[in-house]
Amino acid sequence: MTHHITNAPESPTTSPSSAPTYQAPINEHKPAPPSPAPPAKAAKLASPSQKPAQEAAPSRQPASKPAASHIPSPIGTSGSQWCMTYSPYTSSGGCKPSSDVASDVASIATKGFSSIRIYSTDCNGLSSVATAASSHNLNLVLGVYISGSGISGARPQIQEIISWANTNGHWNGVEMIVVGNEAVFNNFCTAEGLAAFVIEAKSAFRTAGFTGPVTTTETIEVLSEHKSTLCPVCDVAAANIHPFFNGDVAAEQAGEFVAAQLERLEQTCPGKEAYYNLETGWPSKGSPNGAAVPGSWEQKAAIEGIKGAAGGKSAFFSFVDDLWKEEGEWGVERSFGCGQLFG
């Protein structure tokens, strides 16, 4: 894709060499490997390019530490729908009012999802999305987003999340925290810098009472290249798996591709408690990428395939079309909205 940044960000400040490890719930089982599938070809995947927007100011932190998190066990579902990704932006890139966010989150809940993934703390998402999610018994996958400003620009989000938890007095409903989203793939930081930042963030969240998994997510190609650096610092292994960006994969093969890539993720980072596909979908508009053809019928076929093969461990991307984005290569970046295909 075309949004690579050539200037490397500043190196992160000194981070602790280690952080308290995630203790998985005793009844959480590692998912069974997917059915055998043909070897998947390497594909560079597109980044969602989370738009930097106005970030909410951190809340004043009370003296008391929030109660330790209650982690749903296991994360994910044995069914075909676990998580939907959500960004609280208008079509022009502004922040949606809280009433619109509440309506969107209610719709996600009625479509059968158990969790919602947000990428960052901007647009007051910690308050508006989390409040609506709690009202509908949706769990949260929170994000610390690393943009072109690098790790130094992302660091304040750690305290914003902790301040939000302090204001609530608990971490209930927070399933996972994801530090970075394809940050290495987009040249926003180095793998070594990202690993140090994950450790830093994890230490801060543990001190604040969060006991759930902290991880990052990249393309599988990036994880494979930097597995000795990134895998050890992650409590669970996660990747963004987009079948469309492999030009040999047709829409009706999307589920098989995702299942094979999750198996590859397990081989890349062996020994983890669980493996997740934190961003996946298919565009409804745009130009073909080889055998990967955008379109409404194709999107429906791809989503159905992914649901059947790995929906219980996948975050579907995205709730609605992201009209604030550039169209990008193949003209597809705005057209991954798939919420209409559920429920």
Side-chain angles (χ1 to χ4, degrees):
M1 299 305 290
T2 58
H3 15 269
H4 281 70
I5 304 298
T6 56
N7 294 327
E10 296 179 0
S11 298
T13 57
T14 302
S15 303
S17 59
S18 62
T21 56
Y22 161 59
Q23 296 297 319
I26 58 174
N27 60 337
E28 177 170 328
H29 300 289
K30 186 168 74 174
S35 302
K41 294 184 181 293
K44 268 200 170 183
L45 310 184
S47 165
S49 299
Q50 183 76 5
K51 181 181 178 63
Q54 294 181 347
E55 294 192 352
S59 305
R60 185 176 300 275
Q61 180 172 338
S64 58
K65 186 171 76 172
S69 53
H70 170 70
I71 305 302
S73 174
I75 296 174
T77 174
S78 60
S80 62
Q81 287 180 224
W82 166 47
C83 188
M84 173 65 78
T85 69
Y86 181 74
S87 296
Y89 302 137
T90 65
S91 59
S92 61
C95 296
K96 285 187 175 182
S98 58
S99 58
D100 288 356
V101 172
S103 177
D104 290 344
V105 174
S107 178
I108 290 171
T110 61
K111 292 176 181 296
F113 291 93
S114 61
S115 301
I116 184 169
R117 180 190 175 197
I118 59 175
Y119 290 87
S120 71
T121 61
D122 60 357
C123 283
N124 202 31
L126 285 173
S127 174
S128 60
V129 176
T131 298
S134 177
S135 298
H136 296 282
N137 296 315
L138 283 172
N139 297 312
L140 295 167
V141 177
L142 299 182
V144 176
Y145 191 76
I146 301 171
S147 67
S149 62
I151 287 170
S152 61
R155 186 167 281 112
Q157 295 174 62
I158 297 173
Q159 185 56 48
E160 289 175 27
I161 292 173
I162 291 172
S163 296
W164 166 77
N166 282 332
T167 299
N168 286 341
H170 60 75
W171 291 91
N172 285 353
V174 180
E175 285 188 313
M176 185 188 308
I177 301 178
V178 183
V179 180
N181 185 77
E182 298 184 6
V184 175
F185 174 78
N186 284 300
N187 290 330
F188 293 155
C189 65
T190 64
E192 292 76 16
L194 177 58
F197 190 46
V198 171
I199 292 173
E200 175 188 341
K202 188 189 306 186
S203 179
F205 293 136
R206 293 284 184 265
T207 300
F210 181 66
T211 59
V214 178
T215 190
T216 190
T217 187
E218 289 282 347
T219 66
I220 291 186
E221 286 68 39
V222 168
L223 287 173
S224 296
E225 182 179 354
H226 301 286
K227 60 186 177 182
S228 63
T229 300
L230 295 176
C231 293
V233 304
C234 295
D235 295 323
V236 294
N240 291 353
I241 304 174
H242 278 285
F244 176 82
F245 295 104
N246 186 307
D248 292 332
V249 178
E252 56 269 29
Q253 299 169 315
E256 181 182 31
F257 176 84
V258 168
Q261 293 293 286
L262 276 170
E263 188 173 61
R264 181 181 171 192
L265 177 61
E266 185 169 356
Q267 295 166 354
T268 300
C269 297
K272 297 298 180 183
E273 290 291 338
Y275 299 84
Y276 297 96
N277 174 15
L278 287 183
E279 190 180 291
T280 194
W282 194 274
S284 61
K285 301 181 183 69
S287 301
N289 172 26
V293 178
S296 297
W297 181 90
E298 289 81 2
Q299 183 186 53
K300 182 176 181 180
I303 294 297
E304 286 298 319
I306 297 169
K307 281 175 61 179
K313 294 293 180 181
S314 295
F316 287 92
F317 178 80
S318 59
F319 176 57
V320 294
D321 284 345
D322 295 317
L323 300 180
W324 49 269
K325 291 183 179 179
E326 297 294 331
E327 290 186 345
E329 193 172 6
W330 300 294
V332 299
E333 289 290 338
R334 296 180 177 178
S335 304
F336 279 84
C338 61
Q340 75 281 0
L341 298 178
F342 298 89

